[in-house]
Amino acid sequence: MSRHPGGQAPGYRRLPRTAALALLPAIALLLAACSSSSSSSAGGTGSTASSSSSSGSSSNVGNGRSVTLGTKNFTEEFIVGALYQQALQAKGYKVVYKPNIGATEVVDKALTSGQIDAYPEYTGESAVTVGGINTTVTSAQQEYDLAKNFYAKRGQSMSAMTPFFDTDAIAVTKAYAAKYGLKTTADLKKIPHFTLGARPEFQGREQGAVGIQKDYGVKNFTFKSLALGLQYQALDSGAINAADVFTTDPQLASGKYVVLTDPKHIFGFQNVALVINTKKLNQLGGQQFMNIINQVNALLTTPAITAMNKAVAIDKQDEAEVAKKFLQANNLL
């Protein structure tokens, strides 16, 4: 991922994962019918989507109006992007889809330069990485409000946020946690020295290695840059001792890892919301357009997004097919 995390309701960060993962098998059954090969790409090169299933909707509020939708560069973003793409198409919008643009810093430049009109972003990432706001927040709503106010001043709007949050966290193997008594991020100070593996941008972020050093006083580590997705393999092999992970990663359901809590909330409250240029939003029908996005967002609970992440990242199903099944099951296609 290339944001800092994803947020949720006040006080809920990692603890809700246990309950959420308990529901995972039931939701996975719903998605099991998804094909592993797909017809509509949602993960690599930009494409103009021209077909959509509209069996559940005869309305045409989009009336052929076009929106260019981008995403960041990881599985969860591809899934959310595919959900938005298909839901909008079903309502008569033409969606020019440009997934896999890059990290927050990159995709935000695509937005402000007009290369894209909109993309899904994480509220803490919006506030801290994009807005440069380092105010300490105590709730998901406060994080969202900071981001929304920042974007409004810049000529952009936000949809309602998702119920699910997906935030960065530090994970270690169970054996390593037991050896050093690790439960919270602050406990990393107990280790004489360790290697922290993460995607490159994590090293210079406040909601990343900088915050770990500054807010927790954890400076006893060597940073190892890893491509996103390789951190679990690196943990398993011992190439690193601790890894930056995302709290909706399906690998965490294996029980092999311990996710350290973040009592100081340095990783933010990270719910997902669509960010869109306000002028373009008005051209697309304003609230009519946002209502479609908000309908999708309201369905994205932690169990739902975790199940879809597993279907794509672990079971190797196509994100467009996974998104289609989810929308059909919820009568949005």
Side-chain angles (χ1 to χ4, degrees):
M1 296 172 154
S2 178
R3 32 143 232 188
H4 291 322
Q8 157 100 7
Y12 290 74
R13 279 210 186 277
R14 264 140 326 262
L15 293 180
R17 262 188 88 73
T18 305
L21 291 173
L23 297 173
L24 188 56
I27 296 174
L29 287 176
L30 175 67
L31 298 170
C34 297
S35 167
S36 60
S37 62
S38 90
S39 55
S40 173
S41 171
T45 57
S47 63
T48 301
S50 57
S51 63
S52 68
S53 169
S54 57
S55 58
S57 173
S58 58
S59 62
N60 188 35
V61 298
N63 198 28
R65 287 173 288 189
S66 179
V67 58
T68 301
L69 174 68
T71 76
K72 295 160 81 169
N73 56 346
F74 50 92
T75 298
E76 190 167 275
E77 280 271 312
F78 301 153
I79 292 168
V80 175
L83 289 167
Y84 290 166
Q85 174 195 23
Q86 294 178 33
L88 289 168
Q89 288 171 183
K91 292 295 186 179
Y93 286 97
K94 178 183 178 183
V95 180
V96 179
Y97 191 41
K98 297 183 177 181
N100 203 20
I101 291 173
T104 292
E105 295 88 342
V106 178
V107 74
D108 180 64
K109 288 181 180 177
L111 179 72
T112 55
S113 67
Q115 296 177 54
I116 59 173
D117 300 315
Y119 79 100
E121 184 56 277
Y122 298 78
T123 54
E125 196 81 346
S126 293
V128 179
T129 304
V130 180
I133 303 167
N134 292 317
T135 302
T136 300
V137 298
T138 58
S139 72
Q141 187 64 50
Q142 186 182 0
E143 191 94 83
Y144 174 83
D145 291 342
L146 286 173
K148 188 174 183 179
N149 290 337
F150 165 77
Y151 283 128
K153 294 174 183 177
R154 214 173 62 161
Q156 286 130 15
S157 299
M158 290 179 76
S159 68
M161 60 182 172
T162 60
F164 93 88
F165 71 98
D166 180 13
T167 181
D168 285 288
I170 303 301
V172 297
T173 63
K174 274 191 169 180
Y176 199 75
K179 180 178 180 180
Y180 291 104
L182 306 179
K183 294 181 180 179
T184 78
T185 304
D187 290 337
L188 291 168
K189 288 186 293 186
K190 299 177 182 179
I191 307 169
H193 186 271
F194 67 98
T195 300
L196 172 64
R199 62 201 189 280
E201 61 267 25
F202 188 81
Q203 185 174 17
R205 288 182 171 178
E206 288 286 338
Q207 290 182 325
V210 173
I212 292 173
Q213 292 173 309
K214 186 167 65 175
D215 296 316
Y216 285 112
V218 176
K219 301 178 181 180
N220 51 322
F221 64 90
T222 298
F223 184 86
K224 185 177 180 65
S225 180
L226 293 173
L228 188 64
L230 297 181
Q231 66 268 48
Y232 292 100
Q233 179 182 338
L235 277 174
D236 294 343
S237 69
I240 60 174
N241 309 115
D244 169 47
V245 300
F246 297 119
T247 55
T248 55
D249 283 348
Q251 291 92 336
L252 296 176
S254 68
K256 294 164 59 177
Y257 311 102
V258 172
V259 178
L260 305 183
T261 60
D262 175 26
K264 294 189 177 184
H265 303 301
I266 68 166
F267 295 122
F269 290 86
Q270 302 279 3
N271 302 74
V272 172
L274 181 77
V275 181
I276 184 168
N277 286 314
T278 303
K279 182 178 179 180
K280 183 66 177 183
L281 174 63
N282 293 335
Q283 294 170 356
L284 294 169
Q287 195 57 48
Q288 282 187 316
F289 177 92
M290 277 302 198
N291 286 343
I292 299 168
I293 300 299
N294 290 342
Q295 272 190 303
V296 174
N297 282 357
L299 298 169
L300 298 183
T301 61
T302 300
I305 197 68
T306 305
M308 286 189 278
N309 282 342
K310 178 181 180 296
V312 175
I314 303 297
D315 300 335
K316 304 304 180 184
Q317 297 177 28
D318 179 76
E319 58 264 22
E321 288 298 313
V322 170
K324 180 180 177 181
K325 283 291 182 181
F326 183 81
L327 293 173
Q328 287 177 334
N330 287 281
N331 300 312
L332 292 183
L333 285 185

